[in-house]
Amino acid sequence: MSVVAVTVAACGTSAPDPVDPLPRGRYVLLANAQTSDVRVLDASTWAGQGEPIEVGPIPSDVVVSPTGDRAYVVSPTASVVTVVDIATRRTVGDPIRVGTYPTGVVVSPDGGRLYVAGGETDDVRAYDTTTRRMVGKPMKIGDAPGGLAISADGRWIFATSQYQNDVRVIDTEVLAVVGNPIVVGKAPARAAVSPDGRRVYIANANSDDVSVVDTETRRVVGEPIPVGSYPTGIVSSADGRRVFVASQNSNDVRVIDTTTLRVIGTPIATGAAPAQMTASPDGLLYVANVYSDDVTVIDTRTLRATGSGAVGRTPRGIAVVAT
């Protein structure tokens, strides 16, 4: 990635100090609620890359654009999304004003749109990532939409309605909710779409289980799959054979075999209160642990875990990027 030089404005204000672009490698972006910042960490050494990046207050989620040049950081209490240039580790422009108390965010596969769930406006809004303006109208989603998951082709978004215990489907071509709500478990928190787009997996925080939805019939498949206590993080493996579920109150990750729809092996211990997860293309899973201020790294092939040591302050959002 290249860094564009910044010129001094005519008014006499000085330009920011130049920074070196990130060397080639893999980096973890960690959104820290307590310090209201994002830290860029070397995924191998856990060394910080530059100073923490100040974002909106109490950030909860961070996602990276498909090209790996931008990060979008959600701050629920301020109802904004901060845009970060990853190469320079600086914010870009003013934060994007979104719906009240945003709780979930995804980027389209082409990077052109950002979708944000408004937890208190009960909607999902689409934004053009170039103009930063809302596209179309807010799409109403039940009561307290939380998790968003987007299909690999960008056509469908699955949004959880936490207080109505269901999932709504958004057609991104027409920017509208389609079909009927799909009833799942209690307080569905997060969702993950399988790589082939045929299933969506829903982590139900208050019923301690995972619902499986067939995306063609839009019906639940089989019985809920019991996992740990208060599951909120969920990720599908790149080959679609496994689903990983982080349970905050159990301090572990459970592994679901997507053929049998059963948990396999023993729970994988994490730090305290694992909240959100992200996966890298080479099969590593990164888990943000809210109360132990660290990251657990799980090799999804061997199901073995290692820890990062303390790297943040109340980390909630996590993303991985390769440069």
Side-chain angles (χ1 to χ4, degrees):
M1 295 187 294
S2 61
V3 178
V4 179
V6 181
T7 58
V8 178
C11 65
T13 58
S14 60
D17 293 334
V19 296
D20 294 327
L22 286 171
R24 292 183 65 84
R26 187 192 306 112
Y27 298 92
V28 171
L29 279 64
L30 205 60
N32 297 286
Q34 187 171 337
T35 48
S36 297
D37 60 37
V38 169
R39 302 186 185 189
V40 181
L41 307 164
D42 186 296
S44 299
T45 66
W46 297 106
Q49 306 299 300
E51 295 298 316
I53 306 160
E54 293 185 7
V55 294
I58 318 176
S60 63
D61 292 73
V62 55
V63 295
V64 173
S65 65
T67 54
D69 61 338
R70 292 284 189 269
Y72 300 94
V73 187
V74 176
S75 294
T77 59
S79 300
V80 298
V81 173
T82 303
V83 185
V84 173
D85 181 286
I86 295 173
T88 63
R89 281 87 78 201
R90 290 192 175 116
T91 58
V92 181
D94 294 329
I96 304 171
R97 302 294 305 183
V98 295
T100 306
Y101 208 85
T103 50
V105 60
V106 291
V107 186
S108 62
D110 64 3
R113 285 183 179 174
L114 184 73
Y115 299 92
V116 185
E120 291 185 359
T121 44
D122 298 334
D123 58 31
V124 172
R125 305 184 185 193
Y127 297 85
D128 184 296
T129 56
T130 300
T131 66
R132 303 190 183 197
R133 294 179 179 176
M134 186 168 67
V135 181
K137 297 180 180 180
M139 295 163 277
K140 288 298 180 180
I141 303 289
D143 192 353
L148 300 182
I150 190 167
S151 60
D153 62 4
R155 175 67 187 275
W156 308 104
I157 291 176
F158 301 89
T160 65
S161 177
Q162 297 182 82
Y163 293 161
Q164 292 193 329
N165 302 328
D166 62 38
V167 173
R168 314 290 170 106
V169 182
I170 293 171
D171 184 333
T172 62
E173 288 191 353
V174 296
L175 290 179
V177 176
V178 295
N180 297 318
I182 305 166
V183 177
V184 291
K186 296 179 181 178
R190 298 279 169 170
V193 184
S194 62
D196 62 9
R198 294 180 179 179
R199 287 179 173 175
V200 57
Y201 300 90
I202 312 296
N204 302 307
N206 285 355
S207 52
D208 299 338
D209 55 30
V210 169
S211 297
V212 183
V213 174
D214 183 300
T215 58
E216 183 175 354
T217 64
R218 295 179 186 166
R219 294 180 178 178
V220 172
V221 178
E223 296 297 320
I225 305 167
V227 290
S229 176
Y230 204 74
T232 57
I234 189 162
V235 170
S236 175
S237 63
D239 61 9
R241 296 173 59 188
R242 291 173 174 172
V243 168
F244 299 86
V245 186
S247 299
Q248 289 194 49
N249 293 348
S250 298
N251 299 330
D252 62 36
V253 168
R254 313 280 171 118
V255 184
I256 295 172
D257 183 300
T258 59
T259 300
T260 63
L261 296 183
R262 293 181 178 179
V263 171
I264 60 173
T266 57
I268 304 169
T270 63
Q276 296 186 44
M277 303 186 292
T278 188
S280 63
D282 59 354
L284 295 179
L285 188 68
Y286 298 85
V287 187
N289 301 308
V290 175
Y291 293 154
S292 52
D293 298 335
D294 59 5
V295 175
T296 299
V297 184
I298 298 172
D299 186 318
T300 60
R301 293 157 295 195
T302 64
L303 302 184
R304 293 181 179 178
T306 57
S308 67
V311 290
R313 299 290 298 277
T314 315
R316 294 177 65 186
I318 188 168
V320 64
V321 63
T323 60

